[in-house]
PDB file of all heavy atoms in Angstrom:
ATOM      1  N   PRO A 178       0.388  -5.113   7.678  1.00 79.00           N
ATOM      2  CA  PRO A 178       0.735  -3.697   7.588  1.00 79.00           C
ATOM      3  C   PRO A 178       2.096  -3.366   8.190  1.00 79.00           C
ATOM      4  O   PRO A 178       2.823  -2.538   7.664  1.00 79.00           O
ATOM      5  CB  PRO A 178      -0.380  -2.983   8.347  1.00 79.00           C
ATOM      6  CG  PRO A 178      -1.439  -3.985   8.582  1.00 79.00           C
ATOM      7  CD  PRO A 178      -0.868  -5.339   8.358  1.00 79.00           C
ATOM      8  N   ILE A 179       2.452  -4.040   9.269  1.00 83.00           N
ATOM      9  CA  ILE A 179       3.743  -3.774   9.913  1.00 83.00           C
ATOM     10  C   ILE A 179       4.882  -4.191   8.991  1.00 83.00           C
ATOM     11  O   ILE A 179       5.864  -3.460   8.821  1.00 83.00           O
ATOM     12  CB  ILE A 179       3.842  -4.515  11.269  1.00 83.00           C
ATOM     13  CG1 ILE A 179       2.718  -4.079  12.215  1.00 83.00           C
ATOM     14  CG2 ILE A 179       5.214  -4.318  11.898  1.00 83.00           C
ATOM     15  CD1 ILE A 179       2.732  -2.612  12.566  1.00 83.00           C
ATOM     16  N   GLU A 180       4.754  -5.360   8.384  1.00 82.00           N
ATOM     17  CA  GLU A 180       5.798  -5.828   7.465  1.00 82.00           C
ATOM     18  C   GLU A 180       5.902  -4.914   6.246  1.00 82.00           C
ATOM     19  O   GLU A 180       6.996  -4.644   5.754  1.00 82.00           O
ATOM     20  CB  GLU A 180       5.519  -7.274   7.028  1.00 82.00           C
ATOM     21  CG  GLU A 180       5.744  -8.296   8.114  1.00 82.00           C
ATOM     22  CD  GLU A 180       7.163  -8.249   8.673  1.00 82.00           C
ATOM     23  OE1 GLU A 180       8.134  -8.180   7.900  1.00 82.00           O
ATOM     24  OE2 GLU A 180       7.292  -8.275   9.911  1.00 82.00           O
ATOM     25  N   THR A 181       4.769  -4.427   5.759  1.00 76.00           N
ATOM     26  CA  THR A 181       4.773  -3.508   4.627  1.00 76.00           C
ATOM     27  C   THR A 181       5.531  -2.241   4.987  1.00 76.00           C
ATOM     28  O   THR A 181       6.357  -1.759   4.208  1.00 76.00           O
ATOM     29  CB  THR A 181       3.336  -3.159   4.203  1.00 76.00           C
ATOM     30  OG1 THR A 181       2.647  -4.367   3.861  1.00 76.00           O
ATOM     31  CG2 THR A 181       3.319  -2.217   3.015  1.00 76.00           C
ATOM     32  N   LEU A 182       5.277  -1.709   6.185  1.00 77.00           N
ATOM     33  CA  LEU A 182       5.991  -0.510   6.627  1.00 77.00           C
ATOM     34  C   LEU A 182       7.486  -0.774   6.764  1.00 77.00           C
ATOM     35  O   LEU A 182       8.308   0.073   6.404  1.00 77.00           O
ATOM     36  CB  LEU A 182       5.414  -0.006   7.945  1.00 77.00           C
ATOM     37  CG  LEU A 182       4.030   0.616   7.867  1.00 77.00           C
ATOM     38  CD1 LEU A 182       3.506   0.918   9.264  1.00 77.00           C
ATOM     39  CD2 LEU A 182       4.045   1.870   7.019  1.00 77.00           C
ATOM     40  N   LYS A 183       7.841  -1.944   7.269  1.00 80.00           N
ATOM     41  CA  LYS A 183       9.256  -2.285   7.411  1.00 80.00           C
ATOM     42  C   LYS A 183       9.941  -2.347   6.053  1.00 80.00           C
ATOM     43  O   LYS A 183      11.082  -1.910   5.906  1.00 80.00           O
ATOM     44  CB  LYS A 183       9.412  -3.624   8.132  1.00 80.00           C
ATOM     45  CG  LYS A 183       9.146  -3.545   9.617  1.00 80.00           C
ATOM     46  CD  LYS A 183       9.312  -4.905  10.265  1.00 80.00           C
ATOM     47  CE  LYS A 183       9.024  -4.859  11.752  1.00 80.00           C
ATOM     48  NZ  LYS A 183       9.125  -6.192  12.379  1.00 80.00           N
ATOM     49  N   LYS A 184       9.243  -2.881   5.048  1.00 78.00           N
ATOM     50  CA  LYS A 184       9.806  -2.956   3.701  1.00 78.00           C
ATOM     51  C   LYS A 184       9.999  -1.569   3.108  1.00 78.00           C
ATOM     52  O   LYS A 184      10.918  -1.333   2.328  1.00 78.00           O
ATOM     53  CB  LYS A 184       8.901  -3.780   2.788  1.00 78.00           C
ATOM     54  CG  LYS A 184       8.928  -5.252   3.086  1.00 78.00           C
ATOM     55  CD  LYS A 184       7.979  -5.999   2.179  1.00 78.00           C
ATOM     56  CE  LYS A 184       7.884  -7.463   2.562  1.00 78.00           C
ATOM     57  NZ  LYS A 184       6.902  -8.185   1.755  1.00 78.00           N
ATOM     58  N   LEU A 185       9.102  -0.642   3.471  1.00 75.00           N
ATOM     59  CA  LEU A 185       9.175   0.719   2.934  1.00 75.00           C
ATOM     60  C   LEU A 185      10.177   1.592   3.678  1.00 75.00           C
ATOM     61  O   LEU A 185      10.557   2.646   3.185  1.00 75.00           O
ATOM     62  CB  LEU A 185       7.793   1.375   2.994  1.00 75.00           C
ATOM     63  CG  LEU A 185       6.741   0.782   2.066  1.00 75.00           C
ATOM     64  CD1 LEU A 185       5.387   1.413   2.343  1.00 75.00           C
ATOM     65  CD2 LEU A 185       7.134   0.957   0.622  1.00 75.00           C
ATOM     66  N   ARG A 186      10.611   1.120   4.860  1.00 80.00           N
ATOM     67  CA  ARG A 186      11.545   1.903   5.666  1.00 80.00           C
ATOM     68  C   ARG A 186      12.783   2.249   4.835  1.00 80.00           C
ATOM     69  O   ARG A 186      13.393   1.399   4.223  1.00 80.00           O
ATOM     70  CB  ARG A 186      11.953   1.125   6.905  1.00 80.00           C
ATOM     71  CG  ARG A 186      12.834   1.924   7.841  1.00 80.00           C
ATOM     72  CD  ARG A 186      13.338   1.090   8.991  1.00 80.00           C
ATOM     73  NE  ARG A 186      12.228   0.535   9.759  1.00 80.00           N
ATOM     74  CZ  ARG A 186      12.342  -0.526  10.544  1.00 80.00           C
ATOM     75  NH1 ARG A 186      13.483  -1.147  10.661  1.00 80.00           N
ATOM     76  NH2 ARG A 186      11.301  -0.960  11.208  1.00 80.00           N
ATOM     77  N   GLY A 187      13.102   3.516   4.814  1.00 77.00           N
ATOM     78  CA  GLY A 187      14.284   3.967   4.086  1.00 77.00           C
ATOM     79  C   GLY A 187      14.028   4.259   2.623  1.00 77.00           C
ATOM     80  O   GLY A 187      14.905   4.744   1.923  1.00 77.00           O
ATOM     81  N   CYS A 188      12.821   3.996   2.130  1.00 73.00           N
ATOM     82  CA  CYS A 188      12.504   4.223   0.722  1.00 73.00           C
ATOM     83  C   CYS A 188      12.022   5.646   0.459  1.00 73.00           C
ATOM     84  O   CYS A 188      12.011   6.097  -0.669  1.00 73.00           O
ATOM     85  CB  CYS A 188      11.428   3.256   0.245  1.00 73.00           C
ATOM     86  SG  CYS A 188      11.949   1.543   0.265  1.00 73.00           S
ATOM     87  N   VAL A 189      11.598   6.323   1.514  1.00 70.00           N
ATOM     88  CA  VAL A 189      11.036   7.653   1.362  1.00 70.00           C
ATOM     89  C   VAL A 189      12.035   8.675   1.868  1.00 70.00           C
ATOM     90  O   VAL A 189      12.645   8.499   2.915  1.00 70.00           O
ATOM     91  CB  VAL A 189       9.708   7.773   2.159  1.00 70.00           C
ATOM     92  CG1 VAL A 189       9.140   9.169   2.063  1.00 70.00           C
ATOM     93  CG2 VAL A 189       8.714   6.740   1.685  1.00 70.00           C
ATOM     94  N   GLU A 190      12.202   9.728   1.109  1.00 75.00           N
ATOM     95  CA  GLU A 190      13.084  10.804   1.533  1.00 75.00           C
ATOM     96  C   GLU A 190      12.256  12.058   1.748  1.00 75.00           C
ATOM     97  O   GLU A 190      11.412  12.391   0.941  1.00 75.00           O
ATOM     98  CB  GLU A 190      14.148  11.077   0.472  1.00 75.00           C
ATOM     99  CG  GLU A 190      15.158   9.965   0.340  1.00 75.00           C
ATOM    100  CD  GLU A 190      16.258  10.312  -0.629  1.00 75.00           C
ATOM    101  OE1 GLU A 190      16.592  11.500  -0.765  1.00 75.00           O
ATOM    102  OE2 GLU A 190      16.769   9.384  -1.265  1.00 75.00           O
ATOM    103  N   PHE A 191      12.487  12.722   2.871  1.00 75.00           N
ATOM    104  CA  PHE A 191      11.782  13.952   3.178  1.00 75.00           C
ATOM    105  C   PHE A 191      12.711  15.127   2.943  1.00 75.00           C
ATOM    106  O   PHE A 191      13.891  15.073   3.279  1.00 75.00           O
ATOM    107  CB  PHE A 191      11.307  13.949   4.636  1.00 75.00           C
ATOM    108  CG  PHE A 191      10.306  12.863   4.921  1.00 75.00           C
ATOM    109  CD1 PHE A 191      10.698  11.665   5.501  1.00 75.00           C
ATOM    110  CD2 PHE A 191       8.981  13.038   4.582  1.00 75.00           C
ATOM    111  CE1 PHE A 191       9.769  10.672   5.758  1.00 75.00           C
ATOM    112  CE2 PHE A 191       8.049  12.047   4.830  1.00 75.00           C
ATOM    113  CZ  PHE A 191       8.444  10.862   5.419  1.00 75.00           C
ATOM    114  N   LYS A 192      12.168  16.204   2.397  1.00 82.00           N
ATOM    115  CA  LYS A 192      12.982  17.374   2.113  1.00 82.00           C
ATOM    116  C   LYS A 192      13.426  18.065   3.397  1.00 82.00           C
ATOM    117  O   LYS A 192      14.531  18.543   3.491  1.00 82.00           O
ATOM    118  CB  LYS A 192      12.212  18.355   1.225  1.00 82.00           C
ATOM    119  CG  LYS A 192      11.989  17.842  -0.173  1.00 82.00           C
ATOM    120  CD  LYS A 192      11.265  18.846  -1.030  1.00 82.00           C
ATOM    121  CE  LYS A 192      11.057  18.279  -2.416  1.00 82.00           C
ATOM    122  NZ  LYS A 192      10.326  19.165  -3.296  1.00 82.00           N
ATOM    123  N   ASP A 193      12.538  18.142   4.389  1.00 84.00           N
ATOM    124  CA  ASP A 193      12.866  18.835   5.630  1.00 84.00           C
ATOM    125  C   ASP A 193      12.519  17.937   6.811  1.00 84.00           C
ATOM    126  O   ASP A 193      11.586  18.202   7.578  1.00 84.00           O
ATOM    127  CB  ASP A 193      12.113  20.164   5.706  1.00 84.00           C
ATOM    128  CG  ASP A 193      12.698  21.106   6.736  1.00 84.00           C
ATOM    129  OD1 ASP A 193      13.578  20.673   7.511  1.00 84.00           O
ATOM    130  OD2 ASP A 193      12.281  22.271   6.768  1.00 84.00           O
ATOM    131  N   LYS A 194      13.291  16.874   6.962  1.00 82.00           N
ATOM    132  CA  LYS A 194      13.033  15.862   7.981  1.00 82.00           C
ATOM    133  C   LYS A 194      13.017  16.452   9.389  1.00 82.00           C
ATOM    134  O   LYS A 194      12.142  16.133  10.197  1.00 82.00           O
ATOM    135  CB  LYS A 194      14.086  14.764   7.882  1.00 82.00           C
ATOM    136  CG  LYS A 194      13.908  13.645   8.854  1.00 82.00           C
ATOM    137  CD  LYS A 194      14.998  12.597   8.660  1.00 82.00           C
ATOM    138  CE  LYS A 194      14.943  11.537   9.708  1.00 82.00           C
ATOM    139  NZ  LYS A 194      16.007  10.539   9.537  1.00 82.00           N
TER     140      LYS A 194
END
Side-chain angles (χ1 to χ4, degrees):
I179 301 299
E180 288 303 314
T181 302
L182 289 173
K183 285 180 181 177
K184 288 178 186 176
L185 292 173
R186 185 186 301 159
C188 295
V189 177
E190 291 185 30
F191 296 98
K192 291 182 180 178
D193 197 351
K194 182 179 174 181

